[in-house]
Amino acid sequence: MTILIAEDDLTIRTNLARLLRLEGFEVRTAENGRLALEMARAQTPALVISDVMMPELDGHGLLRALRTEAATTHVPFVFLTARADRSDVREGMTLGADDYLTKPFERAELLQLVKTQLERAEQRSREIVRLQAETDYLRDHDPVTNLPNRRGFEDRLATAIDAAGRAAQSLAVASIELDGIAVLRHIDGARVADDALRACAERLVTGVPAAVERGLRMEMGRVGDARFAVVFSGVSGEAPVEQELRRLLASLAASLAVGERSVHLAPTAGVAFFPAGGRDVETLLRHAEAAEPPAVPGGTLAFHSPDGQAQLSRRARLLQGLHEALDAGQLSIHYQPQVACRGEAIVGLEALMRWQSPEFGAVSPAEFIPLAEESGLIVPMGTWALHQSVHQMRAWMDAGVTGVRVAVNLSSRQFEDDSLPGIVAEALATAGIPADALELEITESIAMKNGERVLRVLNALRAQGVALSMDDFGTGYSSLAYLKRYPIDSLKIDQGFVRHLQADASDRAICRTIIALARNFDLKVVAEGVETPLHVELLREMGCDVLQGWNFARPMPAAQATAWLLEPGRSLGGGR
């Protein structure tokens, strides 16, 4: 176990090294911060003990540098200081130091400090490993059904394609859409819709053993809000795939007992074969989705035609309509309040994009936002949403609404160049609102893509005074190093972990862990999907800061949100 000492005084440096070596530690020494930083980069130490005042790079500079690098961001750091000056200590602890030791010190005092810091580091390391294992699973799995999510399914499909190609075999991909889930969610709420999806997933999984007995290998996942996908390996033609799919569709079309009522869904399946219908994941899935026929009672299926005669899919028609939506005035912004967990004062409103399509009616954001992302339309749509939101914030401020922020979601496509800070600055200036009245939300996946560019853009936004939040925390990569490196103010717990909080012990454990993690990084926590008073009570007990969900208000159009905010007795402000 290596301890790195950075100390410009030769006598102190030598004595420290001798004491620690007598205790069995491997010790490396440096006479200034620059050399210590080079040593830490070459070999990550278990602990750094550093003087404050040193030539070339002082202790504060060394700590800043170590905390910005992923390999050393969690290494315990202890300051040695000849002065018990509170400003030195305070600055060091603010930068992320774990402890300090005032010179001169006793041998026992030094050894106890080293022991304590190493034990804490080991405990933190175990917790990080545990959290990373959990988040690795959540990254590839849908929290509602426990099936692979789109990312996880695409990985499995890629493996199956590779195996089929090497063996010169065929495989089939089926895209199964459940007509009726969106209506169920709208009328009965998210919990009922999720219960129905969970029951459908169980029926799909139940059919796997029988299919294996019939010579088919099946893997499946939930790849959309109301869409599952299945890959059939070891197929010898359309007939066995069609027979198996008709069994699955019949099972999905049968009555579902959800709560105290029966629910009937209309499943449809589109099928594409490798290699005729595509040789890669994206093409096969696209062709399978394009082949989905219109929904009919009892379920139906269709096969993709390699000559391109498959009916134009809903997805393609949605994309066509989305190209016209912004100019045609079909998009709007709805606002959902965010309230302080203690006292329930309104502290913000999240801006949520909505699309009223002439062909499809109200289209779920879960359906059109991914299309906008893939096509690049999200960039002009995102800029439009930002301007709409800050101008609405200006209108609220003029009406007397104070102490609240408007939160706007950002897309990864908006980070593809460095123009975003300028766009935000222009929007704020045009609307005439202060930067701290705006919060921008990014997702974990954004943080992982092109890290240096994202960090540069986020730092520029933070320099303007804009607040930054990490949305849907726990559902993606959850690399803990990014929480320390990125200038994030708050974490948003994904609604998937909140929705079944009272019934699911694992969801409660995840929420507690995220809140505790945020506390360690001095971040605020916002919980989404708060639908019941019991959710409020549980999250309040856990120490959550801000709540958002139907328990307080559904997303509302601007006029309705304004009336809601200005209702007599409404408590505004309270801080974030």
Side-chain angles (χ1 to χ4, degrees):
M1 189 171 289
T2 303
I3 297 177
L4 175 60
I5 298 170
E7 168 63 68
D8 62 332
D9 187 300
L10 176 61
T11 301
I12 295 174
R13 189 168 71 247
T14 303
N15 287 337
L16 262 176
R18 181 179 58 82
L19 283 172
L20 293 171
R21 286 182 179 127
L22 286 173
E23 297 299 318
F25 294 106
E26 179 182 345
V27 180
R28 307 184 72 198
T29 63
E31 61 265 30
N32 58 58
R34 180 184 59 79
L35 288 175
L37 180 59
E38 292 176 0
M39 290 180 178
R41 284 170 172 167
Q43 179 184 347
T44 303
L47 172 67
V48 176
I49 300 175
S50 173
D51 192 14
V52 177
M53 305 298 294
M54 293 185 294
E56 297 196 43
L57 182 66
D58 65 11
H60 292 154
L62 174 60
L63 176 57
R64 285 192 193 94
L66 293 175
R67 288 297 184 248
T68 59
E69 299 190 11
T72 56
T73 188
H74 295 299
V75 172
F77 193 105
V78 175
F79 272 122
L80 286 174
T81 176
R83 301 176 297 166
D85 185 273
R86 288 188 173 273
S87 64
D88 264 358
V89 173
R90 186 164 52 249
E91 182 178 357
M93 301 305 280
T94 299
L95 290 172
D98 296 277
D99 209 340
Y100 68 95
L101 192 61
T102 304
K103 298 179 287 189
F105 50 82
E106 299 292 331
R107 172 179 175 276
E109 184 182 7
L110 168 67
L111 296 180
Q112 182 59 48
L113 180 144
V114 169
K115 178 184 177 183
T116 299
Q117 289 304 320
L118 292 178
E119 287 176 349
R120 288 179 180 173
E122 177 62 24
Q123 183 179 3
R124 185 187 303 124
S125 178
R126 287 195 299 269
E127 180 68 8
I128 288 173
V129 169
R130 186 185 66 81
L131 282 171
Q132 200 66 57
E134 290 180 2
T135 52
D136 285 346
Y137 177 83
L138 293 171
R139 177 187 60 191
D140 293 332
H141 287 79
D142 168 44
V144 175
T145 64
N146 282 326
L147 290 177
N149 57 19
R150 190 174 189 96
R151 175 192 174 97
F153 180 80
E154 288 180 349
D155 287 344
R156 287 159 175 78
L157 177 56
T159 301
I161 290 172
D162 182 62
R166 284 186 283 104
Q169 294 179 341
S170 180
L171 64 78
V173 178
S175 175
I176 302 174
E177 178 79 6
L178 298 175
D179 188 64
I181 288 292
V183 174
L184 195 64
R185 178 172 281 113
H186 179 72
I187 295 175
D188 295 293
R191 181 181 303 171
V192 172
D194 283 354
D195 287 344
L197 287 166
R198 195 175 295 110
C200 288
E202 290 171 358
R203 291 184 179 185
L204 288 172
V205 171
T206 300
V208 171
V212 171
E213 290 180 3
R214 289 187 283 269
L216 288 175
R217 296 189 302 275
M218 290 170 54
E219 290 190 89
M220 57 195 61
R222 183 185 175 201
V223 297
D225 182 51
R227 177 176 279 119
F228 294 90
V230 183
V231 56
F232 297 91
S233 301
V235 300
S236 57
E238 289 187 2
V241 174
E242 180 174 358
Q243 290 170 5
E244 202 59 50
L245 274 173
R246 292 204 181 278
R247 292 187 186 98
L248 293 176
L249 294 176
S251 173
L252 295 173
S255 175
L256 291 169
V258 179
E260 298 180 354
R261 56 172 294 191
S262 294
V263 173
H264 290 85
L265 301 174
T268 65
V271 186
F273 280 84
F274 167 87
R279 294 179 174 271
D280 59 80
V281 169
E282 182 182 355
T283 304
L284 279 170
L285 280 173
R286 185 175 70 249
H287 286 169
E289 292 171 8
E292 291 172 10
V296 298
T300 185
L301 65 89
F303 290 89
H304 169 74
S305 172
D307 62 5
Q309 296 302 309
Q311 182 182 8
L312 188 62
S313 70
R314 169 184 170 90
R315 188 171 183 270
R317 301 200 309 276
L318 282 169
L319 186 56
Q320 287 178 349
L322 202 54
H323 276 275
E324 304 169 0
L326 186 58
D327 291 338
Q330 297 166 12
L331 299 179
S332 64
I333 302 294
H334 287 202
Y335 299 88
Q336 186 170 38
Q338 299 171 331
V339 306
C341 197
R342 305 283 178 182
E344 298 191 1
I346 312 305
V347 296
L349 296 100
E350 182 178 5
L352 301 165
M353 200 179 304
R354 296 292 185 260
W355 178 24
Q356 186 69 27
S357 163
E359 180 179 359
F360 298 102
V363 183
S364 168
E367 190 171 19
F368 77 78
I369 293 295
L371 286 176
E373 292 266 9
E374 293 171 18
S375 64
L377 289 171
I378 195 66
V379 175
M381 288 168 62
T383 301
W384 172 84
L386 173 66
H387 278 271
Q388 290 288 116
S389 301
V390 295
H391 280 83
Q392 183 57 58
M393 188 70 240
R394 176 73 265 169
W396 285 332
M397 294 171 71
D398 291 342
V401 175
T402 60
V404 302
R405 286 179 180 150
V406 62
V408 179
N409 292 277
L410 294 178
S411 158
S412 61
R413 300 294 292 263
Q414 293 172 276
F415 284 83
E416 291 182 352
D417 59 42
D418 293 336
S419 64
L420 182 59
I423 292 171
V424 172
E426 180 188 5
L428 291 170
T430 303
I433 68 168
D436 61 5
L438 173 64
E439 181 174 71
L440 297 175
E441 297 186 4
I442 68 168
T443 61
E444 294 177 75
S445 60
I446 292 176
M448 293 292 290
K449 292 178 180 177
N450 201 342
E452 292 305 318
R453 172 178 288 166
V454 171
L455 179 60
R456 183 169 65 249
V457 172
L458 291 180
N459 282 330
L461 291 170
R462 184 64 176 274
Q464 294 180 23
V466 174
L468 300 172
S469 175
M470 184 170 284
D471 196 11
D472 297 340
F473 187 76
T475 63
Y477 301 88
S478 299
S479 177
L480 304 182
Y482 284 88
L483 295 184
K484 196 149 194 174
R485 189 180 184 198
Y486 283 20
I488 301 297
D489 298 288
S490 60
L491 300 180
K492 296 191 76 175
I493 302 176
D494 183 68
Q495 59 184 333
F497 301 128
V498 175
R499 189 172 298 136
H500 305 298
L501 203 57
Q502 67 270 33
D504 194 322
S506 62
D507 282 351
R508 291 196 296 275
I510 290 171
C511 288
R512 286 194 184 95
T513 300
I514 292 174
I515 291 170
L517 182 66
R519 290 288 170 269
N520 288 334
F521 287 95
D522 196 27
L523 303 174
K524 299 286 188 181
V525 182
V526 182
E528 297 181 294
V530 180
E531 297 181 352
T532 68
L534 185 55
H535 286 165
V536 176
E537 181 181 343
L538 289 171
L539 289 164
R540 184 177 289 139
E541 290 174 358
M542 293 179 190
C544 190
D545 300 294
V546 178
L547 308 176
Q548 177 181 343
W550 286 10
N551 183 74
F552 306 101
R554 298 189 179 197
M556 298 171 281
Q560 184 181 346
T562 301
W564 188 89
L565 284 170
L566 298 178
E567 285 180 1
R570 186 75 66 196
S571 178
L572 300 174
R576 292 291 297 269

